[in-house]
């Protein structure tokens, strides 16, 4: 048999491989699906459990991430539908915990894309915001966990038509970021910095947004007292009252014996419309573990209440 040999350039190889990836992979691997993915238990394979096992195994399998994305999405959509105006989503499983060395910024962005896409598919125009550099001169900068996030976010693949048609737009924090046709604002990890306060910018944005929903994902708006009368005692009560206007619509975090991050003793979970629930982690064998509810509260339980539930006092 005779074979024809053709030499191709590296550019042709790259173009061909990109085309193969686009056509051969499932859409939900590369971009947000055109239809919201199923609920936490329907695709994750956890038999209806509200918490997946072996969360200390990182990087997390994709189905574990999808479990939490769906959990956050369902709570947020329900809260917005019920008229929630100022909301907080706090999801701190290991890959979303900036205190650990397994923090993965890609997980944060995937969750933001999943949530934003679902809200936009509901017919709303969403402004996805990441705070800008704060401070002055040599002290100007961003928190390490947000460094480069805005650029990565804009280069991600989004559902066709969402960005082009203006249903998803990107911005920072401030009054000038609010446009008349914006319907919902989602802000990623807003936080104060040493020597620079984000709250004045957020307050101005809040005032101009009016009755339109603002959703904060994993915020840290506690004061960081700094020189130059920044975040000092004066005005602290007003700042605390403003932050208190943002109500929890979703909360998940693992429970450890501080200051250690191992072993996992349990978890605390709350989703919109349901009580705060304390779960105890029970390891049945090396390959089997589960989380069992051991306490339920109308508001976030204190450390002593959580400890009593875990220890069975």
């Amino acid at each position: 048999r005779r074979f024809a040999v053709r030499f191709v350039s590296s550019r042709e190889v790259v173009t061909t491989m990109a085309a193969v990836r686009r056509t051969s992979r499932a859409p939900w691997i590369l971009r947000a699906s055109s239809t919201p993915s199923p609920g936490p238990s329907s695709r994750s394979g956890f038999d209806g459990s509200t918490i997946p096992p072996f969360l200390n195994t990182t990087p997390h399998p994709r189905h574990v991430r999808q479990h939490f994305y769906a959990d956050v999405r369902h709570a947020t959509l329900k809260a917005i539908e019920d008229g929630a105006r100022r909301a907080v989503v706090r999801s701190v499983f290991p890959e979303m915990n900036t205190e650990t060395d397994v923090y993965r910024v890609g997980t944060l962005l995937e969750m933001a894309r999943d949530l934003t896409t679902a809200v936009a598919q509901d017919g709303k125009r969403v402004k996805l915001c990441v705070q800008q550099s704060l401070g002055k001169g040599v002290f100007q900068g961003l928190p390490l966990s947000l460094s480069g996030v805005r650029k990565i976010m804009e280069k991600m693949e989004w559902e066709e038509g969402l960005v082009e048609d203006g249903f998803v737009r990107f911005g920072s924090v401030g009054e000038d970021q609010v446009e008349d046709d914006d319907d919902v604002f989602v802000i990623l990890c807003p936080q104060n910095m040493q020597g620079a306060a984000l709250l004045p910018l957020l307050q101005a944005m809040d005032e101009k947004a009016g009755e339109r929903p603002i959703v904060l994902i994993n915020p840290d708006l506690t004061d960081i007292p700094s020189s130059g009368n920044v975040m000092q005692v004066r005005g602290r009560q007003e700042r605390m009252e403003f932050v208190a206007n943002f109500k929890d619509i979703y909360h998940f975090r693992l429970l450890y014996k501080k200051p250690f991050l191992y072993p996992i003793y349990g978890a605390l979970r709350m989703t919109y419309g349901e009580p705060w629930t304390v779960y105890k982690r029970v390891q049945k064998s090396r390959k089997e573990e589960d989380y069992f509810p051991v306490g339920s509260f109308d508001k976030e339980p204190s450390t002593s209440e959580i400890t009593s539930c875990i220890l069975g006092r």
Side-chain angles (χ1 to χ4, degrees):
R1 296 181 180 180
R2 295 181 178 180
F3 299 93
V5 178
R6 176 174 174 263
F7 294 95
V8 296
S9 66
S10 58
R11 177 176 296 181
E12 289 180 278
V13 172
V14 172
T15 303
T16 303
M17 292 302 295
V20 169
R21 284 195 295 267
R22 284 195 298 270
T23 56
S24 62
R25 293 188 181 184
W28 53 268
I29 295 180
L30 291 176
R31 56 182 66 85
S33 174
S34 57
T35 56
S37 51
S41 60
S42 59
R43 190 167 71 185
S44 54
F46 302 126
D47 300 324
S49 172
T50 54
I51 301 177
F54 299 109
L55 289 175
N56 54 356
T57 301
T58 55
H60 294 316
R62 183 171 181 81
H63 61 77
V64 172
R65 295 172 187 154
Q66 290 290 342
H67 174 99
F68 288 107
Y69 300 166
D71 217 12
V72 167
R73 179 190 344 112
H74 292 161
T76 306
L77 290 177
K78 187 177 179 182
I80 292 175
E81 184 180 351
D82 285 354
R85 179 173 171 269
R86 300 294 179 260
V88 172
V89 168
R90 201 176 300 276
S91 182
V92 197
F93 57 97
E95 284 190 352
M96 291 277 284
N97 188 350
T98 56
E99 295 181 3
T100 69
D101 58 358
V102 298
Y103 170 71
R104 179 176 179 266
V105 69
T107 302
L108 170 66
L109 290 172
E110 286 174 0
M111 176 178 286
R113 180 175 62 181
D114 183 273
L115 172 60
T116 304
T117 300
V119 176
Q121 288 174 343
D122 200 30
K124 298 179 175 63
R125 296 185 181 272
V126 188
K127 178 69 69 68
L128 184 56
C129 305
V130 177
Q131 72 186 65
Q132 61 273 40
S133 294
L134 301 176
K136 297 181 180 179
V138 296
F139 299 103
Q140 185 176 14
L142 274 172
L144 184 61
S145 59
L146 292 177
S147 180
V149 168
R150 171 72 182 269
K151 183 176 292 187
I152 298 172
M153 182 174 67
E154 292 177 352
K155 291 182 178 296
M156 291 175 69
E157 290 196 37
W158 292 80
E159 183 68 23
E160 185 177 353
L162 289 182
V163 176
E164 296 84 351
D165 296 339
F167 282 95
V168 175
R169 288 181 286 199
F170 309 110
S172 52
V173 178
E175 181 181 8
D176 59 330
Q177 300 298 307
V178 180
E179 300 179 59
D180 292 339
D181 58 346
D182 290 329
D183 296 316
V184 179
F185 303 89
V186 178
I187 305 178
L188 299 185
C189 305
Q191 52 194 288
N192 295 311
M193 293 179 55
Q194 185 73 35
L198 179 70
L199 275 182
L201 297 172
L202 185 58
Q203 287 173 313
M205 187 175 185
D206 171 90
E207 184 175 345
K208 189 170 181 180
E211 296 300 318
R212 289 173 284 181
I214 297 179
V215 180
L216 309 181
I217 297 181
N218 288 359
D220 183 7
L221 297 175
T222 54
D223 279 353
I224 305 178
S226 309
S227 59
N229 201 31
V230 176
M231 290 178 283
Q232 297 294 336
V233 176
R234 184 178 180 180
R236 181 166 297 169
Q237 183 63 35
E238 290 76 10
R239 294 193 295 271
M240 292 173 61
E241 290 174 355
F242 171 73
V243 173
N245 290 329
F246 289 82
K247 307 299 183 182
D248 289 308
I249 61 170
Y250 180 84
H251 184 106
F252 179 88
R253 75 174 189 265
L254 294 174
L255 304 174
Y256 308 96
K257 186 175 181 179
K258 293 293 183 76
F260 306 104
L261 296 175
Y262 183 86
I264 299 172
Y265 282 85
L268 177 64
R269 177 181 179 271
M270 185 278 294
T271 187
Y272 184 79
E274 298 182 11
W276 294 76
T277 305
V278 178
Y279 293 84
K280 182 176 181 178
R281 172 180 169 268
V282 177
Q283 186 164 358
K284 302 175 182 179
S285 67
R286 293 185 61 184
K287 296 184 178 180
E288 185 179 5
E289 72 174 30
D290 206 346
Y291 287 82
F292 296 95
V294 290
S296 180
F297 302 86
D298 293 331
K299 61 180 182 179
E300 184 175 1
S302 64
T303 302
S304 59
E305 289 173 328
I306 292 175
T307 302
S308 298
C309 289
I310 295 295
L311 298 181
R313 292 174 182 171

